[in-house]
Amino acid sequence: MNTKINFAGIEMKNPVTVASGTFGYGREFAQFIDLNKLGGIITKGTSLKPRSGNKPSRVCETASGMLNSIGLQNPGVEYFAATDLPWLRKFDTAIIVNACGSSIDEYVDLCRILNTLDIDGVELNLSCPNVKSGCLAFGTTYEGVKEVTSAVRKVLDKPLIVKLTPNVTDIASISKAVEDAGADAVSLINTLLGMSIDIHTKRPKLANNTGGLSGPAIKPVAVRMVYQVAQKVNIPILGMGGIINGDDAIEFMLAGANAISIGAGNFINPATSINTISEIEDYMKKYKIENISDIVGKVEMNIN
Amino acid sequence: MLKSVQKLAKEQDIPCQISLEEKMGCGIGACLGCAVKTSNSPADNPSYLHVCKAGPVFDSSTVEI
């Protein structure tokens, strides 16, 4: 039984990664789980300069999910390179840095630095719904995604994954921009823009008014989008959105995801990622699957 | 109430600790959801502590609530 995969040139011992923004730089979770068991770690969104993030309240619970508006709080790439990266490198797992910026120049400058670091790949964040400039501004049109991805591609030799937002009319056509710009893979979905109101204060529960919805509530939307993107592009897909166990992970892989990420699931149980790996193995045993890659895209659609 | 206690302690120069609540995602310092602004950081470049890890009990002079 083989759970190893090669995702966009990145060797992983299994297809399970942890999603950006839900796992920090790994230190907090290392108290609970063995990071060596993970296929990969996608770091907190990291920018060229430190960012302080949005005003609190930043999170709230919703039915089968949560809203967040953290606003990309992070210590900046220099601090990451000096402190968190050497620590992360002690573990035998792929390290992928989620990169965010406010302008094309900033994305390019950041990726120039990332290209010199001992990391396995970059996940370009074109999809954070909680910051005023950049990110979503590029991520919602074919032209925007293509322009920033092409610019980054010129300075980045490492595997380039582009993370897309679901807050668009046609995600498949936008994923095509990622492929056309020469990126190695696409990851989806980021959070769905949402809002929740405290009926007693009559104010939104988040200080930023709106935030990104994640958790099991968004899983059917994410599975549908992964399927649609898989029909459109030939580059590999990192699928995510509400995965909390092995069954969910298999569902994404059948829809066309080559690897998956656990996001909000890490908050329910810090061992969700590790449990998911063993549950994938259980499924492989049950259905006598030799290689985990064999199930990718194997959904059998109903013919109507 | 915490705000009033914080204000009173400052006026009377009384050492004071306050226990804060904020909605949390992970509860272990990874998601940065439960932010509280430090009192000595500027509004245009705020610095945040997190209730789950730095708190929940803070010296009342160190945080803005």
Side-chain angles (χ1 to χ4, degrees):
Chain A
M1 199 170 69
N2 178 22
T3 59
K4 280 187 201 149
I5 61 161
N6 181 312
F7 182 83
I10 305 169
E11 296 292 338
M12 294 184 188
K13 57 183 71 160
N14 60 62
V16 177
T17 69
V18 286
S20 179
T22 65
F23 209 77
Y25 295 103
R27 290 179 194 268
E28 296 80 13
F29 282 86
Q31 307 166 74
F32 301 99
I33 62 170
D34 180 4
L35 302 187
N36 294 302
K37 288 186 176 168
L38 295 172
I41 293 173
I42 312 202
T43 71
K44 170 78 184 150
T46 303
S47 47
L48 193 57
K49 300 287 173 204
R51 294 182 70 122
S52 45
N54 292 338
K55 275 188 186 170
S57 292
R58 293 177 171 183
V59 292
C60 78
E61 191 162 359
T62 59
S64 295
M66 63 178 287
L67 287 172
N68 89 79
S69 180
I70 308 294
L72 300 175
Q73 178 178 354
N74 79 91
V77 69
E78 279 178 30
Y79 183 91
F80 163 74
T83 62
D84 295 301
L85 182 57
W87 181 84
L88 274 170
R89 267 300 166 212
K90 293 191 293 188
F91 299 94
D92 178 24
T93 185
I95 305 298
I96 299 165
V97 175
N98 182 283
C100 46
S102 309
S103 65
I104 291 184
D105 287 348
E106 210 179 309
Y107 277 109
V108 168
D109 290 347
L110 171 60
C111 288
R112 254 197 205 105
I113 296 171
L114 292 175
N115 201 44
T116 66
L117 302 182
D118 180 21
I119 59 174
D120 296 292
V122 171
E123 182 183 64
L124 201 63
N125 185 348
L126 300 185
S127 45
C128 176
N130 299 323
V131 292
K132 286 191 179 70
S133 55
C135 275
L136 209 54
F138 296 105
T140 51
T141 62
Y142 175 92
E143 292 75 18
V145 170
K146 193 171 177 194
E147 192 182 1
V148 66
T149 307
S150 302
V152 164
R153 180 77 285 181
K154 288 193 187 100
V155 300
L156 189 75
D157 306 314
K158 294 179 188 293
L160 173 60
I161 306 162
V162 178
K163 186 167 182 179
L164 296 180
T165 172
N167 302 305
V168 293
T169 48
D170 181 8
I171 192 139
S173 67
I174 290 175
S175 69
K176 193 79 178 74
V178 175
E179 186 172 49
D180 292 349
D184 302 292
V186 61
S187 81
L188 69 150
I189 60 175
N190 204 315
T191 54
L192 284 151
L193 193 62
M195 179 163 144
S196 184
I197 299 168
D198 182 324
I199 60 166
H200 304 291
T201 63
K202 297 181 185 163
R203 285 175 181 275
K205 290 181 181 171
L206 298 178
N208 196 38
N209 297 322
T210 58
L213 180 65
S214 60
I218 70 168
K219 198 187 77 174
V221 177
V223 170
R224 182 263 297 177
M225 287 186 162
V226 164
Y227 173 76
Q228 288 178 321
V229 168
Q231 307 313 302
K232 187 81 173 183
V233 299
N234 294 312
I235 51 176
I237 299 170
L238 180 61
M240 71 201 76
I243 299 173
I244 59 167
N245 55 40
D247 290 7
D248 294 340
I250 297 292
E251 198 177 337
F252 273 78
M253 296 187 81
L254 289 172
N258 303 75
I260 61 98
S261 280
I262 312 276
N266 295 313
F267 301 157
I268 300 168
N269 176 350
T272 297
S273 52
I274 302 296
N275 295 344
T276 297
I277 296 165
S278 59
E279 287 158 11
I280 288 173
E281 289 168 355
D282 293 344
Y283 180 87
M284 291 174 75
K285 272 179 215 144
K286 183 174 178 184
Y287 290 99
K288 300 187 171 53
I289 295 158
E290 195 52 41
N291 289 298
I292 190 61
S293 306
D294 293 346
I295 67 161
V296 173
K298 291 292 161 63
V299 58
E300 294 172 24
M301 298 300 280
N302 301 317
I303 309 294
N304 294 305
Chain B
M1 186 185 80
L2 289 175
K3 257 187 183 169
S4 304
V5 171
Q6 186 186 40
K7 188 165 167 266
L8 191 70
K10 194 181 175 188
E11 284 166 3
Q12 310 269 334
D13 199 22
I14 303 167
C16 173
Q17 294 182 332
I18 50 176
S19 183
L20 299 186
E21 286 186 0
E22 184 53 80
K23 301 282 192 305
M24 292 177 192
C26 68
I28 55 173
C31 77
L32 310 182
C34 54
V36 54
K37 187 180 167 298
T38 59
S39 50
N40 58 2
S41 64
D44 59 348
N45 186 23
S47 159
Y48 294 104
L49 292 171
H50 295 89
V51 174
C52 71
K53 219 167 175 195
V57 176
F58 294 88
D59 183 320
S60 69
S61 66
T62 61
V63 291
E64 218 168 83
I65 53 174

